[in-house]
Amino acid sequence: MKVVLSRDLTPGQHAAVRTFCDASPGYSYLQDPDWPGLMQDEGGRHSYRHVLVERDAGGLAAYGVLRLSRVPGGLALGAFRRGPVVAAPADLEPVLTALLPALRNAGLITVAMNPRWEDAEAETVERLLARLGGQVAPPARQRLHSCTGLIDLAPTPEEIFAACTAHARRNLRKLDKLDLTLRPVADGAEMARVRDWTQAFARARGLTTRGLPGLEAQRDWIARHGGALILVEAEGAPVGAFSLLRDGPRVLNMSNGWADPDARLPRSYLVYWYAIRRWAGGAEPGGPRWLDLAGRDDPRVPRADAGAEGRERFKDGFPQRHAVLPRMHRFVLRPLLARVLDRVEYLRG
């Protein structure tokens, strides 16, 4: 197999990667060939490489978006977030056998990965990663959820509503009494206002928008891949906004911003109820099949924040199937340097 790392893809490579990713059940938006372009406004904290693993007989065996974090000496730490993408879990073994030495030669000290597969296939992936030398990253480095809930959008909104808990149904009924208008966010001052809300909302919740694409980039993604960037108005006045991004057969909530972060508005219910009403029951041809709740508790990974319990109770209100995903695994490519960096990180606390 041949491994190719590049800053950009040629039109031919992009078309081949797009076809390959669209055909793989292991696809994730974080491994989409368009994703690095959306992250250009990240402030230089990371750089990205497209990684193509080509078969000797021709054609792709794997594709990955490799995020690089530079360290002194011209070396780097690497991460395939939800990747790399392969056609089937069994393909990971020959792919990584070729890929890991190539990444070491390219100057990587470690590389982390958690290819996006579910349930039994996720277990297969974890066994493969361990057999090849990958170690489960500690809880502090499990920054992507390893369990999620998926609301089936095949039923109608009425059927989904009926399957919700009584508490959730009460909150959903409240939304119809609030005289809310939901419409796409416009350009100019409206977009600037939503950007300010989003940043303020994150600060008020002790969250960060670092690592997320800007709102303009999110709208570009929505235009190309699907989703929604929605302004919420109450009695004609703007009060908030949210985005939903398409992730293959799934759609998920990416960002939220509210004029009053403490307003007694059932915001999360509003976001999910909008998605259910828009896409459930095949309302839009080619629409998403699943509404991804973007994380559920995983007993393998201890909770990292106090707000997790409340989020779990809210998500319990919707009918869903739980999906277990691979945890982040780390491969040490340069052991001595990795130990030095780990020691420095430990001393920094």
Side-chain angles (χ1 to χ4, degrees):
M1 290 188 181
K2 177 184 177 184
V3 177
V4 178
L5 278 72
S6 63
R7 293 178 181 271
D8 301 296
L9 296 174
T10 67
Q13 287 174 325
H14 188 280
V17 167
R18 167 62 55 215
T19 299
F20 181 81
C21 288
D22 287 349
S24 173
Y27 165 88
S28 164
Y29 70 97
L30 290 167
Q31 292 294 298
D32 191 278
D34 295 336
W35 191 251
L38 266 70
M39 300 304 293
Q40 290 175 348
D41 296 330
E42 219 181 352
R45 183 166 175 262
H46 302 291
S47 62
Y48 293 84
R49 296 292 183 274
H50 300 276
V51 179
L52 293 81
V53 182
E54 301 173 344
R55 300 184 186 277
D56 294 335
L60 285 175
Y63 167 77
V65 173
L66 177 63
R67 191 178 75 172
L68 298 175
S69 302
R70 293 293 176 187
V71 298
L75 302 175
L77 309 176
F80 292 102
R81 304 172 77 223
R82 301 283 188 222
V85 180
V86 291
D91 291 345
L92 275 171
E93 186 157 13
V95 162
L96 293 181
T97 299
L99 179 58
L100 293 174
L103 294 179
R104 186 187 189 284
N105 292 338
L108 269 68
I109 299 171
T110 64
V111 62
M113 62 185 70
N114 58 342
R116 198 203 182 285
W117 295 86
E118 296 179 4
D119 301 329
E121 290 176 320
E123 294 178 9
T124 298
V125 166
E126 288 211 348
R127 287 195 297 269
L128 269 169
L129 297 179
R131 187 162 71 239
L132 294 171
Q135 298 179 331
V136 178
R141 292 184 178 177
Q142 298 290 343
R143 297 187 179 96
L144 296 172
H145 58 264
S146 50
C147 184
T148 193
L150 298 170
I151 299 174
D152 189 354
L153 295 176
T156 66
E158 293 76 19
E159 290 169 330
I160 295 174
F161 177 85
C164 290
T165 64
H167 177 75
R169 292 198 302 271
R170 283 195 298 271
N171 279 285
L172 294 175
R173 288 192 189 100
K174 288 179 185 178
L175 294 173
D176 292 330
K177 301 176 182 179
L178 294 177
D179 189 26
L180 299 176
T181 300
L182 281 70
R183 61 171 178 81
V185 175
D187 283 322
E190 202 161 272
M191 182 68 82
R193 173 185 288 172
V194 172
R195 187 185 305 111
D196 291 342
W197 286 346
T198 302
Q199 293 171 350
F201 186 72
R203 287 195 300 270
R205 294 295 185 271
L207 305 173
T208 178
T209 57
R210 190 174 64 188
L212 295 179
L215 288 173
E216 290 84 354
Q218 290 186 42
R219 183 156 62 184
D220 178 61
W221 181 272
I222 288 164
R224 283 186 281 173
H225 301 274
L229 179 56
I230 297 298
L231 186 77
V232 182
E233 295 176 318
E235 299 178 352
V239 297
F242 60 86
S243 69
L244 291 153
L245 261 63
R246 187 69 182 266
D247 180 25
R250 303 166 294 273
V251 66
L252 52 87
N253 180 210
M254 175 63 67
S255 60
N256 302 279
W258 303 93
D260 180 1
D262 298 315
R264 297 183 63 82
L265 178 70
R267 292 183 289 259
S268 296
Y269 287 102
L270 174 64
V271 173
Y272 289 124
W273 194 225
Y274 171 88
I276 290 168
R277 282 180 158 171
R278 174 163 176 174
W279 287 297
E284 287 188 11
R289 171 62 193 273
W290 305 98
L291 174 56
D292 193 334
L293 298 181
R296 296 302 314 257
D297 267 358
D298 184 343
R300 302 171 301 173
V301 181
R303 283 179 176 170
D305 66 283
E309 186 174 350
R311 290 194 297 273
E312 287 294 295
R313 285 198 302 269
F314 157 70
K315 293 176 182 180
D316 280 338
F318 293 91
Q320 64 199 263
R321 71 172 178 88
H322 284 199
V324 176
L325 311 175
R327 291 165 293 177
M328 186 67 78
H329 284 61
R330 186 175 80 146
F331 288 85
V332 176
L333 307 179
R334 297 170 183 264
L336 179 59
L337 290 173
R339 285 197 294 271
V340 171
L341 290 176
D342 287 346
R343 181 62 179 169
V344 171
E345 183 177 348
Y346 173 79
L347 292 174
R348 287 176 176 173

